[in-house]
């Protein structure tokens, strides 16, 4: 009897065996070897839409977009901005970008935030406890608004223990090997330097930034204003041994610039001078630009970092507030490193970077009062992080990050914290005079003033940066034509990137711009002071970061239209042209427009001081020179500083002329050219005189030099003979 052949198992039998193996046999599918002649054809990936566009001359559309953006910003330049036409042109440019992005022709998804697991993070509770305890002791001893050797030593120990609490273990063997290798390289006689193309680009970029910061530093700006007198008198106090925590002149100032300027005066031998202030703040401007590179590299790539470094290093806005020699640059200078370590610490789950972010926050709080919004901004950043990542593990990490940043900032803030507790009115007086009606009543409803200030601040990069001549070219955009166009493109790119990536850093950067402008926006009692380049200075960090992203995205889309060496050459050519146009306009803005307007508006105290200095060199008596007081003229304290006598005020009002009669020495009177009454009175008092008109920087700056020779028989009369 022949058994029937077992039928071949079906697909249903296979599924029954897999789903119910206890009731049905499991069907095994044997491996099948293909004959040698049968090969699997390779999978051909479809060509991307960007690649297809190469044959459609998409490069010309990119050039049109760039030119359209530049034309729109150019129409907003003074003296006759055409707002409606600029908006129409920009609307067309934005439409082209969005349309081509939707078609896949314009790439924006270039940067990703790849979180790391943060393994090996260190917290040493013992050092942390010591840091807190010693910090409390230092705070108790920060009394009477003075730094002393004891409280400074305790504060330094607290900071050191804070760092040791989070710094990873050092690999000493590796450090020794690295040092040994470096020393061997230095001792070699055939020492060579190998520069890559990237290194050459970096060196040239650094040279350009240094040029923009130090070129004609002594002449631009030329004269000091009353705020400089306050600063230099504080610096003189420091050099004289008075080590204040908070400097109370002129409604109060934080301490960082005073000690920085004192160090500059000692190291560079520049004394109590405008140059001393300028060197310190210009160095901080370069410090900010360098950290802009690291920040750009962290949120983008090395090219975003390079463009952020260049744009923040050559642009008119940061250069002017660096050169003016006041505290303004400290706002962005300490914000850039704080944001860099904040972003890096969150991405890498690095407690060390979070601690460094807190340290820079604490230092910044002792630099310039608008920086007080930064701690709140970082808290908002952590909230945005949690909104995008709702896992319990991320929530725990965000809590740890808040604790570490807050603790580090608090320890660095301890001296000023003690002063704030002792003198809360003085600490907050300057801010309250702008927010409230302490000095003058609000000119209208607070909410209306706030909304008006908010709008004017937001459009400041494109439209008008305010009317304060000390640190701006009045009523022009805060950015140059290229910068404004690229910033607008960068905002579009960030919006489109967020649609693709949901990167939490994008809404944070965009939100931070108006938030960092709040110190200017909340000037409700003095709305004419808003916008201004100094109190909004922190906003330049995200602004130049987004601008750099706009430039990098544009150049990337140009590069992918070509292949080989042609791609690199064309991209480099376009990039050099764009940056050159920006450099030329920014150079003219700083060294031509700003400089000329500053000379026109300022008082020529340096020339008055030089006349007194020459008088003292001849007659040897600094106490026999006088500047006759006149309304809205020179600050006579600045005259003393320029003459080389920083603590001397040379003011003499006409009603005090009689007090000079008892002085038998040669006397010098400096008189405003419009003060004919004082001049006539001096002619009557001293019939034997020499009088001349001193030519100022401008005709309106001329002044009268009135010299009375020494009396016969006086000590100075015999000296002159």
């Amino acid at each position: 009897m022949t058994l029937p052949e077992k039928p071949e198992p079906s697909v249903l039998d296979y599924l029954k065996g897999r789903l119910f193996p206890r009731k049905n046999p499991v069907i095994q599918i044997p491996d099948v070897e293909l004959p040698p002649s049968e090969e699997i054809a390779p999978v051909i990936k479809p060509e991307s839409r960007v690649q297809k566009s190469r044959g459609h001359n998409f490069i010309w559309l990119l050039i049109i977009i760039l030119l359209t953006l530049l034309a729109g910003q150019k129409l907003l330049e003074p003296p006759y901005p055409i707002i409606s036409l600029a908006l129409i042109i920009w609307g067309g440019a934005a439409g082209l970008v969005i349309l081509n992005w939707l078609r896949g022709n314009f790439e924006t998804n270039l940067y990703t935030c790849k979180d790391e697991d943060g393994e090996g993070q260190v917290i040493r509770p013992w050092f942390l406890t010591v840091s807190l305890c010693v910090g409390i002791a230092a705070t108790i001893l920060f009394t009477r608004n003075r730094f002393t050797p004891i409280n400074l030593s305790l504060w330094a120990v607290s900071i050191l223990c804070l760092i040791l609490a989070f710094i990873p273990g050092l690999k000493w063997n590796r450090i020794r090997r690295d040092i040994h290798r470096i020393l061997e390289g230095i001792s070699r006689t055939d020492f060579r330097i190998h520069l890559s193309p990237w290194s050459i680009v970096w060196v040239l970029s650094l040279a350009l930034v240094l040029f923009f910061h130090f070129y004609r530093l002594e002449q631009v700006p030329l004269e000091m204003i009353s705020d400089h007198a306050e600063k230099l008198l504080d610096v003189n106090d420091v050099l004289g041994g008075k080590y204040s925590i908070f400097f109370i002149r002129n409604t109060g100032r934080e301490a960082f610039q005073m000690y920085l300027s004192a160090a500059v005066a000692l190291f560079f031998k520049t004394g109590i001078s405008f140059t001393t202030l300028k060197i310190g703040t210009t160095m901080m401007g370069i410090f900010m630009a360098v950290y802009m590179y690291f920040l750009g590299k962290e949120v983008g790539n090395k090219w975003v970092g390079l463009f952020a470094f260049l744009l923040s290093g050559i642009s008119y806005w940061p250069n002017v507030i660096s050169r003016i020699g006041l505290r303004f640059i400290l706002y962005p200078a300490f914000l850039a490193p704080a944001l860099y370590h904040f972003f890096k610490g969150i991405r890498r789950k690095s407690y060390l970077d979070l601690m460094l972010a807190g340290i820079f926050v604490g230092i910044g709080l002792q630099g310039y009062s608008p920086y007080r919004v930064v701690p709140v901004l970082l808290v908002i950043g952590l909230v945005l992080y949690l909104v995008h990542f709702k896992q319990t593990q991320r929530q725990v990490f965000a809590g740890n990050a808040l604790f570490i940043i807050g603790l580090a900032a608090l320890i660095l803030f301890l001296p000023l914290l003690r002063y704030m507790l002792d003198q809360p009115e003085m600490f907050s007086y300057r801010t309250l005079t702008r927010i409230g009606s302490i000095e003058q009543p609000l000119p209208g409803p607070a909410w209306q003033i706030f909304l008006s200030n908010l709008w004017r601040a937001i459009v400041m990069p494109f439209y008008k940066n305010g009317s304060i001549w000390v640190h701006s070219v009045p009523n022009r955009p805060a950015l140059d034509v290229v910068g404004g166009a690229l910033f607008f493109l960068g905002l579009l790119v960030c919006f489109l990137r967020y649609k693709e990536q949901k990167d939490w850093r994008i809404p944070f950067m965009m939100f931070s711009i108006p938030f960092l402008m709040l110190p200017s926006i909340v000037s409700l009692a003095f709305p004419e002071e808003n916008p201004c380049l100094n109190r909004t200075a922190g906003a330049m960090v995200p602004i130049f970061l987004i601008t750099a992203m706009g430039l990098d995205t544009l150049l990337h889309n140009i590069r992918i239209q070509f292949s080989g060496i042609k791609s690199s050459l064309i991209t480099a050519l376009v990039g050099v042209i764009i940056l050159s146009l920006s450099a030329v306009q920014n150079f003219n803005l700083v060294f031509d427009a700003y400089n000329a307007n500053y000379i026109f508006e300022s008082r020529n105290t340096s020339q008055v001081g030089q006349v007194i200095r020459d008088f003292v060199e001849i007659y040897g008596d600094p106490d026999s020179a006088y500047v006759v007081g006149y309304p809205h003229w020179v600050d006579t304290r600045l005259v003393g500083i320029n003459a080389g006598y920083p603590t001397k005020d040379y003011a003499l009002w006409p009603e005090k002329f009689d007090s000079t009669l008892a002085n038998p020495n040669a006397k010098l009177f400096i008189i405003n050219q419009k003060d004919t009454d004082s001049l006539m009175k001096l002619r009557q008092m001293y019939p034997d005189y020499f009088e001349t008109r001193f030519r100022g920087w401008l005709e309106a700056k001329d002044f009268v030099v009135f010299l009375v020779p020494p009396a016969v028989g006086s000590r100075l009369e015999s000296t002159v003979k």
Side-chain angles (χ1 to χ4, degrees):
M1 179 179 178
T2 304
L3 295 175
E5 187 177 353
K6 188 175 181 179
E8 183 178 351
S10 65
V11 175
L12 180 61
D13 295 330
Y14 174 78
L15 292 176
K16 287 180 179 180
R18 289 296 181 184
L19 296 175
F20 308 104
R22 294 184 179 180
K23 297 181 179 180
N24 300 279
V26 178
I27 307 299
Q28 299 293 337
I29 299 177
D31 295 333
V32 179
E33 294 185 4
L34 293 175
S37 60
E38 297 183 27
E39 295 182 359
I40 299 176
V43 178
I44 301 176
K45 295 183 179 180
E47 188 178 15
S48 70
R49 285 176 287 182
V50 173
Q51 291 174 330
K52 286 182 179 179
S53 67
R54 291 179 182 174
H56 299 156
N57 293 324
F58 183 63
I59 179 65
W60 295 111
L61 185 57
L62 290 172
I63 299 299
I64 290 173
I65 290 173
L66 174 61
L67 294 177
T68 305
L69 291 170
L70 293 173
Q73 183 60 53
K74 181 65 177 177
L75 288 171
L76 296 177
E77 288 281 297
Y80 306 111
I82 308 174
I83 301 174
S84 56
L85 183 57
L87 292 177
I88 292 172
I89 291 176
W90 268 1
L96 287 175
V97 171
I98 294 172
L99 179 62
N100 283 277
W101 175 78
L102 291 172
R103 292 178 175 177
N105 294 333
F106 191 82
E107 290 188 0
T108 60
N109 193 12
L110 307 181
Y111 325 113
T112 57
C113 181
K114 297 180 180 179
D115 281 6
E116 299 179 10
D117 54 14
E119 292 182 359
Q121 297 305 317
V122 175
I123 296 182
R124 298 183 178 90
W126 189 86
F127 279 111
L128 206 58
T129 303
V130 173
S131 176
L132 284 170
C133 294
V134 177
I136 292 172
T139 305
I140 295 172
L141 295 176
F142 281 128
T143 57
R144 293 181 294 179
N145 191 26
R146 287 290 183 275
F147 286 117
T148 66
I150 295 177
N151 60 33
L152 272 177
S153 299
L154 290 175
W155 188 36
V157 170
S158 178
I159 295 172
L160 177 62
C161 289
L162 171 71
I163 295 172
L164 293 175
F166 294 102
I167 193 168
L170 298 177
K171 300 178 180 179
W172 294 107
N173 291 332
R174 181 178 177 181
I175 292 174
R176 279 195 292 267
R177 287 197 304 269
D178 291 341
I179 294 175
H180 182 68
R181 186 171 62 252
I182 292 172
L183 292 176
E184 278 188 346
I186 294 174
S187 61
R188 289 174 57 183
T189 57
D190 59 339
F191 181 73
R192 296 179 181 178
I193 298 177
H194 299 281
L195 291 177
S196 65
W198 171 253
S199 301
I200 295 173
V201 170
W202 230 110
V203 169
L204 293 175
S205 300
L206 178 61
L208 184 62
V209 170
L210 291 175
F211 169 78
F212 266 82
H213 277 75
F214 287 106
Y215 175 66
R216 296 179 59 196
L217 184 59
E218 285 197 77
Q219 292 82 33
V220 182
L222 186 59
E223 299 287 355
M224 290 186 281
I225 62 172
S226 294
D227 273 4
H228 294 110
E230 310 286 353
K231 299 293 187 302
L232 288 173
L233 290 173
D234 288 335
V235 174
N236 190 67
D237 287 345
V238 172
L239 294 175
K242 184 179 179 181
Y243 306 121
S244 299
I245 295 171
F246 190 79
F247 293 81
I248 61 175
R249 280 190 180 91
N250 193 22
T251 70
R253 297 290 189 275
E254 291 81 2
F256 185 88
Q257 188 191 7
M258 316 313 167
Y259 291 98
L260 173 65
S261 299
V264 169
L266 292 173
F267 185 81
F268 292 101
K269 310 298 182 185
T270 49
I272 304 300
S273 66
F274 197 9
T275 301
T276 293
L277 297 177
K278 287 181 180 180
I279 290 175
T281 54
T282 300
M283 290 168 58
M284 294 308 300
I286 295 172
F287 176 80
M288 180 207 73
V290 170
Y291 252 106
M292 286 297 295
Y293 167 76
F294 293 115
L295 181 57
K297 187 178 179 181
E298 173 63 29
V299 301
N301 55 37
K302 68 177 184 179
W303 288 106
V304 174
L306 180 68
F307 295 147
F309 169 73
L310 268 173
L311 292 169
S312 63
I314 68 174
S315 292
Y316 135 82
W317 181 3
N319 263 282
V320 165
I321 66 169
S322 295
R323 286 173 167 268
I324 193 59
L326 298 173
R327 301 170 300 153
F328 310 147
I329 193 62
L330 300 181
Y331 188 6
F334 290 122
L335 176 64
L339 288 183
Y340 165 70
H341 290 291
F342 178 67
F343 286 144
K344 185 180 178 183
I346 290 179
R347 179 180 61 83
R348 298 181 60 187
K349 308 297 183 294
S350 168
Y351 291 161
L352 176 62
D353 279 296
L354 293 172
M355 182 266 295
L356 290 173
I359 284 178
F360 281 111
V361 169
I363 298 174
L365 289 171
Q366 302 203 58
Y368 187 32
S369 52
Y371 198 91
R372 296 173 190 176
V373 303
V374 173
V376 182
L377 177 65
L378 297 191
V379 173
I380 294 173
L382 288 173
V383 171
L384 279 173
Y385 174 77
L386 289 176
V387 168
H388 287 74
F389 301 101
K390 299 181 180 180
Q391 301 94 326
T392 303
Q393 184 179 2
R394 302 288 184 111
Q395 294 174 352
V396 172
F397 169 72
N400 292 339
L402 180 62
F403 170 76
I404 293 170
I405 295 172
L407 177 64
L410 178 65
I411 289 176
L412 269 293
F413 182 65
L414 287 178
L416 204 52
L417 174 65
R418 176 56 192 265
Y419 181 82
M420 182 183 72
L421 296 174
D422 290 342
Q423 302 288 339
E425 298 85 2
M426 192 64 190
F427 178 79
S428 57
Y429 177 78
R430 191 171 185 84
T431 302
L432 294 177
T433 59
R434 266 54 195 167
I435 296 176
S437 54
I438 294 178
E439 286 192 7
Q440 70 175 33
L442 301 186
W447 67 272
Q448 290 183 2
I449 300 173
F450 178 82
L451 292 179
S452 174
N453 283 358
L454 175 63
W455 171 250
R456 287 188 290 143
I458 289 175
V459 300
M460 180 187 81
F462 308 109
Y463 188 42
K464 291 183 178 180
N465 59 198
S467 57
I468 303 176
W469 60 267
V470 173
H471 49 64
S472 69
V473 178
N475 298 316
R476 67 148 289 107
L479 300 176
D480 61 289
V481 172
V482 171
L486 293 177
F487 178 47
F488 182 79
L489 177 61
L491 290 172
L492 279 175
V493 167
C494 285
F495 173 76
L496 298 176
R497 274 187 60 216
Y498 188 70
K499 295 286 289 184
E500 294 178 305
Q501 286 188 4
K502 296 297 185 290
D503 184 347
W504 70 274
R505 300 172 302 176
I506 296 174
F508 174 79
M509 287 188 293
M510 298 177 75
F511 169 79
S512 69
I513 294 173
F515 190 85
L516 291 166
M517 292 178 173
L518 277 178
S520 175
I521 294 170
V522 296
S523 183
L524 306 180
F526 299 89
E528 67 277 3
E529 294 181 356
N530 175 77
C532 56
L533 293 185
N534 56 334
R535 295 178 194 154
T536 61
M540 75 169 64
V541 173
I543 284 175
F544 284 119
L545 201 58
I546 292 172
T547 303
M549 289 180 178
L551 176 57
D552 182 60
T553 302
L554 176 69
L555 295 179
H556 168 80
N557 280 278
I558 291 175
R559 180 178 58 81
I560 61 177
Q561 307 307 313
F562 306 94
S563 59
I565 190 66
K566 186 178 180 181
S567 169
S568 300
L569 289 177
I570 292 178
T571 305
L573 177 63
V574 174
V576 168
I577 292 174
I578 291 173
L579 291 172
S580 297
L581 291 174
S582 178
V584 169
Q585 187 185 9
N586 281 299
F587 182 90
N588 291 332
L589 284 173
V590 174
F591 299 105
D592 185 6
Y594 171 72
N595 185 40
N597 187 67
Y598 192 97
I599 291 175
F600 177 79
E601 296 285 355
S602 61
R603 304 290 183 261
N604 52 333
T605 56
S606 64
Q607 290 185 311
V608 178
Q610 185 59 51
V611 170
I612 293 178
R613 187 188 291 266
D614 294 341
F615 170 81
V616 174
E617 287 182 1
I618 296 173
Y619 294 98
D621 184 11
D623 296 324
S624 295
Y626 312 95
V627 178
V628 178
Y630 190 79
H632 310 295
W633 194 35
V634 295
D635 186 330
T636 48
R637 298 172 303 170
L638 292 174
V639 172
I641 292 170
N642 281 303
Y645 303 95
T647 59
K648 186 171 180 58
D649 188 340
Y650 276 96
L652 177 70
W653 292 94
E655 55 268 23
K656 298 289 185 179
F657 281 173
D658 291 342
S659 64
T660 65
L661 292 172
N663 182 2
N665 301 325
K667 292 178 280 289
L668 175 71
F669 297 88
I670 307 293
I671 309 160
N672 186 287
Q673 60 177 325
K674 297 179 182 179
D675 192 3
T676 55
D677 292 341
S678 295
L679 187 58
M680 291 297 296
K681 187 174 181 179
L682 286 172
R683 287 171 179 170
Q684 294 172 1
M685 291 177 60
Y686 297 103
D688 186 15
Y689 64 87
F690 299 98
E691 179 185 322
T692 185
R693 185 186 182 96
F694 190 95
R695 299 296 179 186
W697 308 122
L698 302 172
E699 185 177 351
K701 311 294 181 183
D702 292 355
F703 54 88
V704 177
V705 177
F706 190 92
L707 178 65
V708 179
V712 177
S714 70
R715 177 180 59 83
L716 289 179
E717 191 264 348
S718 60
T719 301
V720 173
K721 289 182 179 180

